[in-house]
Amino acid sequence: MRFGVEEEFFVVDPAGRGVVPRAGAVVAHARKALGCRIVGEDTEFQVESRTRPCATAAELARQIGEGRSCLASAAAEHGLAIVASGTPVVGDAIPSPVPHGPRQELGRESVRGLLHEYNLCAVHVHVEMPDSEQAVLMSNHLRPHLPALIALTANSPYWAERDTGYASWRTLLWSRWPVAGPPPYFRSAAHYAGLVTTLREAGALIDERTVYWDIRPSSHHPTLEIRAADIPMTTAESAAYAALVRALAVSLLPAVERGDPGPVLEPELMRLAYWRAARDGATGAGVDVRTGGVVPASKAARRLLETARPGLEEHGDLDRVTGWLRRLGEIGDGARRQRRQSRQSRGAAGRGGLHAVVDHLIEETEKGAFT
């Protein structure tokens, strides 16, 4: 099963540390090296790097690093930098600088004020699926694991110079959209298609590209796209997270191939588990979506690892992922590291602490390992 990722980044001014609407210049420069693997995003604060389909996590990590390095170099040519954070740390981020065009005008008419706070960066993992029926069944089987994936990748504690108190504020902001967050339970590919048609007729969608559920069948690739995670701070984390997602799909595939429709979950428990994962991240506690019980995030991570173990062993990724999870237990998720950097800086009580966070993010975004 091949897989690939899309990574979103903020463009920042390294002097003032704030986000700046200069994505177009960075994309144009970076495309000279990586072509269509570099694209613009939904706001002029953001750029995106894409990998090609990969068979191994090692190749995926190489391409992730290549994309980050290319974007960082292109940004530097314009006196700018890129950062991997789920939300802006510093800068005047409201309203979002959304480009103008036919689709964007339809979006403004549809979701209106939601576009004012559209500055969110994620990593999206694509895993190959043989057909749409298996894709929607796989979505059902992956749904219970989404809160744990959110907790492990939490990297958005700040929003426009304020500490939100959450580990993944991006998750909370995103949940306000009409077609975002955990996907529904799908009975079949026809059920999925019918629901998308209903949503579009009701004005909640412009087209299938604006289906923003945290799992969705791709509208233009033979893949299932898993979209739940904040953008990880480093290349190593992004590659390990993608390897874990691919391994989950590989491990769950036998049940999907048998036609097992997957577990039916209470929507209220999914919502609760999302909220707790977004609040506490990888070092707090989470909610078991099957029982409603509160469990340590570390225990949820171990359960996730055991579910994914067959796929990890099949592709030789067990050491990569266990090493990542062990390191998270030692130094914390991205949100905790952002806050630690702020506290350790001389100006932690004010803006200077957040400047130190951005400086750290600039450095870490291009790094291979995470510290």
Side-chain angles (χ1 to χ4, degrees):
M1 183 184 290
R2 294 188 302 170
F3 65 141
V5 304
E6 301 167 356
E7 290 197 302
E8 300 164 348
F9 307 95
F10 288 115
V11 178
V12 300
D13 170 14
R17 278 77 164 192
V19 288
V20 289
R22 299 282 306 281
V26 176
V27 168
H29 198 104
R31 285 177 73 95
K32 296 175 184 177
L34 290 184
C36 62
R37 286 179 53 198
I38 303 296
V39 296
E41 251 301 320
D42 291 321
T43 81
E44 294 173 0
F45 286 150
Q46 297 164 279
V47 293
E48 181 179 296
S49 172
R50 299 172 174 176
T51 71
R52 294 182 294 271
C54 297
T56 68
E59 174 59 19
L60 187 80
R62 187 192 69 78
Q63 290 193 32
I64 291 171
E66 184 180 50
R68 289 181 177 224
S69 179
C70 178
L71 282 170
S73 296
E77 288 292 324
H78 295 274
L80 304 167
I82 62 165
V83 297
S85 177
T87 47
V89 178
V90 174
D92 186 8
I94 304 171
S96 306
V98 177
H100 289 275
R103 287 187 80 253
Q104 289 81 1
E105 295 311 315
L106 286 172
R108 286 184 176 90
E109 175 60 27
S110 173
V111 299
R112 305 176 188 184
L114 287 177
L115 284 177
H116 295 168
E117 297 176 288
Y118 197 26
N119 308 307
L120 310 171
C121 286
V123 59
H124 302 158
V125 181
H126 288 259
V127 293
E128 280 189 323
M129 285 286 117
D131 56 52
S132 58
E133 288 294 343
Q134 289 198 14
V136 296
L137 288 185
M138 181 64 76
S139 175
N140 291 346
H141 283 272
L142 288 171
R143 286 170 77 234
H145 306 292
L146 290 173
L149 294 176
I150 289 168
L152 291 174
T153 56
N155 189 33
S156 54
Y158 298 108
W159 171 256
E161 304 182 20
R162 295 186 297 275
D163 189 332
T164 66
Y166 282 75
S168 177
W169 189 240
R170 183 195 68 88
T171 298
L172 271 294
L173 289 176
W174 203 221
S175 68
R176 299 180 301 180
W177 284 66
V179 189
Y185 183 87
F186 299 118
R187 296 186 299 274
S188 64
H191 179 209
Y192 172 86
L195 184 54
V196 168
T197 297
T198 299
L199 291 164
R200 188 169 182 176
E201 290 174 349
L205 299 175
I206 299 171
D207 51 36
E208 280 204 51
R209 290 167 56 193
T210 52
V211 173
Y212 291 143
W213 287 317
D214 284 341
I215 308 174
R216 69 177 183 187
S218 173
S219 62
H220 51 288
H221 297 298
T223 65
L224 189 67
E225 185 180 359
I226 295 84
R227 306 163 46 86
D230 289 353
I231 176 69
M233 199 179 291
T234 68
T235 294
E237 290 171 279
S238 202
Y241 166 73
L244 175 59
V245 170
R246 194 259 297 263
L248 282 171
V250 170
S251 301
L252 295 168
L253 187 59
V256 169
E257 290 177 333
R258 291 194 303 269
D260 184 335
V264 178
L265 306 172
E266 293 288 344
E268 294 79 8
L269 291 185
M270 280 295 290
R271 183 176 173 86
L272 175 64
Y274 257 57
W275 169 75
R276 191 63 185 259
R279 193 192 75 174
D280 287 7
T283 53
V287 172
D288 186 326
V289 295
R290 299 174 190 270
T291 68
V294 177
V295 296
S298 57
K299 183 175 181 179
R302 289 194 297 272
R303 289 178 179 174
L304 193 64
L305 182 65
E306 289 309 306
T307 301
R309 184 178 290 274
L312 291 171
E313 292 177 341
E314 178 177 332
H315 289 281
D317 293 331
L318 184 60
D319 288 346
R320 181 186 294 271
V321 172
T322 55
W324 168 50
L325 296 178
R326 182 171 57 251
R327 192 69 176 133
L328 281 182
E330 294 168 353
I331 67 172
D333 53 39
R336 175 161 290 203
R337 280 138 55 201
Q338 286 197 38
R339 288 193 174 104
R340 183 184 304 125
Q341 196 67 31
S342 178
R343 289 195 304 269
Q344 290 175 348
S345 71
R346 186 173 300 174
R351 192 180 179 94
L354 296 183
H355 283 189
V357 172
V358 176
D359 291 342
H360 182 65
L361 287 168
I362 291 171
E363 180 182 357
E364 293 289 285
T365 295
E366 202 178 344
K367 288 179 65 171
F370 67 108
T371 56

